[in-house]
Amino acid sequence: MARLNRQEETEKTHTESDTKEHTKESEEESCPECESESLVTSGEGDELVCDDCGLVIEEDIIDRGPEWRAFNHGERESKSRVGAPTTQTMHDKGLTTQIDWKDKDAYGRSLSSEKRSQMHRLRKWQERIRTKDAGERNLQFALSETDRMASALGVPRSVREVASVIYRRALNEDLIRGRSIEGVATSCLYAACRQEGIPRSLEEVSEVSRVEQKEIGRTYRYISQELGLRMEPVDPKEYVPRFCSELGVSEEVEMKAKEIIDVTAEQGLLSGKSPTGFAAAAIYAASLLCNEKQTQREVASVAQVTEVTIRNRYQEQIEAMGIQ
């Protein structure tokens, strides 16, 4: 009997504690000030804030950052105890050791001639052992070519990372066999620009490459089909800001050109047309409407299309807009 009473008391205690925890959880799910259930966590994850009234419900005073302070880039570099993050743009993902080219010791003093000769040999062998076979050497060459072309095109770092990932996938699927390394690397860079929404035409990419445009297009179609890359159609409006900036026209012309593209694209004029030529014609038409006339030759030079293309697209666009 005493055992049953103790068991009932234990169950009652557990029930009361569960009820208190449930009540506490329900209180935390709503704001005590305005009773709103719209609670958000701050960017660093150390505060729980009501989205309606701004009350800080929970606050974590633990600083999860480093224990040292730095006020400029040089101090951060000198005090940091970690290396650079891994990157796909290097064949070894940046995990191997690199010997600095400066012939100085830890105190900044110049090395003796004997030590300089020794460091030169070590540096040379370090570069050699970074690539263990022909496959890694080819990958190193392809990624260096990708980095060179990306720098010439002025695309951001994210595009280089995506291009490197696409090339590694093509290498793992054995899609490089029978094709030039430069051609595949250029095709991967063009595909990365398309995926990241960076407006670069095939003509612009072929200019910085050592491969013909026809081969780049053929390899790009093959790789995108084999790897199942989902490519959205290029929007001509993505080219308008860059072309307008190079022409030095006002923002009014840029907005008018985008309006022309929207109106004419809704009528189906964009189907089967080059996006660069379509954007160039819209800019030419907008410059005439805004009294900031640009010649067809100037616009064609910036967009890398022919004047005939601009004239044809221009006639189609003004007819669709109902402008005489």
Side-chain angles (χ1 to χ4, degrees):
M1 188 71 180
R3 184 181 297 175
L4 288 174
N5 290 336
R6 283 197 300 269
Q7 187 175 357
E8 288 176 357
E9 289 178 0
T10 305
E11 290 178 355
K12 185 178 180 181
T13 305
H14 284 310
T15 305
E16 290 176 354
S17 61
D18 291 341
T19 305
K20 288 181 181 179
E21 289 179 0
H22 180 71
T23 306
K24 186 179 179 181
E25 288 178 359
S26 61
E27 288 177 355
E28 289 179 354
E29 290 177 357
S30 61
C31 176
E33 186 73 22
C34 63
E35 297 183 354
S36 171
E37 295 184 357
S38 179
L39 306 181
V40 294
T41 308
S42 64
E44 297 181 355
D46 55 353
E47 289 182 349
L48 185 65
V49 185
C50 176
D51 198 24
D52 293 337
C53 67
L55 178 69
V56 179
I57 301 170
E58 288 185 3
E59 185 177 9
D60 185 9
I61 60 174
I62 298 176
D63 185 5
R64 303 184 185 277
E67 81 283 0
W68 44 264
R69 295 191 302 169
F71 302 99
N72 54 48
H73 180 71
E75 290 185 4
R76 280 192 294 271
E77 289 290 326
S78 62
K79 293 183 178 181
S80 177
R81 295 187 293 273
V82 296
T86 57
T87 174
Q88 298 289 337
T89 58
M90 300 178 69
H91 74 283
D92 52 11
K93 300 183 180 181
L95 296 175
T96 56
T97 304
Q98 285 185 335
I99 301 177
D100 196 6
W101 58 270
K102 298 177 183 177
D103 292 326
K104 294 184 178 180
D105 60 8
Y107 297 100
R109 296 174 298 196
S110 298
L111 301 177
S112 62
S113 59
E114 183 180 353
K115 285 292 183 181
R116 281 200 301 270
S117 176
Q118 182 182 2
M119 293 306 298
H120 176 71
R121 289 196 303 271
L122 289 174
R123 196 179 297 116
K124 181 171 64 177
W125 278 104
Q126 175 65 22
E127 287 296 322
R128 288 178 179 175
I129 64 174
R130 285 183 67 186
T131 53
K132 60 183 180 182
D133 53 22
E136 285 197 0
R137 283 194 295 272
N138 292 340
L139 179 60
Q140 184 181 25
F141 173 70
L143 296 181
S144 63
E145 277 295 298
T146 302
D147 195 61
R148 179 189 65 81
M149 292 184 290
S151 298
L153 289 172
V155 295
R157 187 76 184 175
S158 60
V159 175
R160 307 182 191 192
E161 293 283 347
V162 174
S164 303
V165 171
I166 294 175
Y167 186 87
R168 289 175 185 272
R169 287 183 58 193
L171 186 63
N172 293 334
E173 296 290 336
D174 200 21
L175 304 180
I176 317 294
R177 190 180 300 276
R179 291 172 176 80
S180 68
I181 296 175
E182 293 178 345
V184 177
T186 310
S187 304
C188 293
L189 180 60
Y190 178 66
C193 290
R194 291 280 300 270
Q195 280 193 339
E196 292 295 297
I198 305 298
R200 294 295 183 272
S201 63
L202 195 59
E203 291 81 5
E204 291 176 297
V205 176
S206 62
E207 277 192 355
V208 300
S209 176
R210 301 189 180 98
V211 186
E212 294 182 357
Q213 181 179 334
K214 186 180 293 185
E215 182 183 347
I216 296 173
R218 190 188 307 118
T219 309
Y220 161 72
R221 287 189 294 270
Y222 173 72
I223 287 179
S224 60
Q225 182 179 359
E226 291 294 325
L227 296 180
L229 302 178
R230 295 182 178 180
M231 298 295 176
E232 296 291 332
V234 180
D235 189 356
K237 290 191 295 184
E238 294 179 351
Y239 293 97
V240 171
R242 185 158 57 94
F243 291 168
C244 289
S245 176
E246 293 182 17
L247 288 169
V249 296
S250 64
E251 188 176 350
E252 182 185 0
V253 176
E254 181 179 338
M255 299 302 294
K256 190 66 177 177
K258 291 182 178 180
E259 180 186 343
I260 292 173
I261 291 174
D262 287 333
V263 173
T264 54
E266 288 179 359
Q267 301 182 22
L269 294 182
L270 183 55
S271 178
K273 305 296 191 304
S274 169
T276 53
F278 205 81
I283 294 172
Y284 175 69
S287 66
L288 294 179
L289 293 173
C290 298
N291 296 322
E292 296 184 29
K293 183 179 179 181
Q294 302 286 323
T295 63
Q296 293 180 2
R297 180 174 296 179
E298 290 172 340
V299 180
S301 175
V302 168
Q304 295 183 339
V305 295
T306 62
E307 297 176 37
V308 178
T309 301
I310 292 181
R311 281 196 293 271
N312 293 338
R313 299 293 88 79
Y314 167 71
Q315 291 295 333
E316 295 172 357
Q317 289 174 356
I318 61 173
E319 289 176 6
M321 296 283 292
I323 301 173
Q324 299 297 330

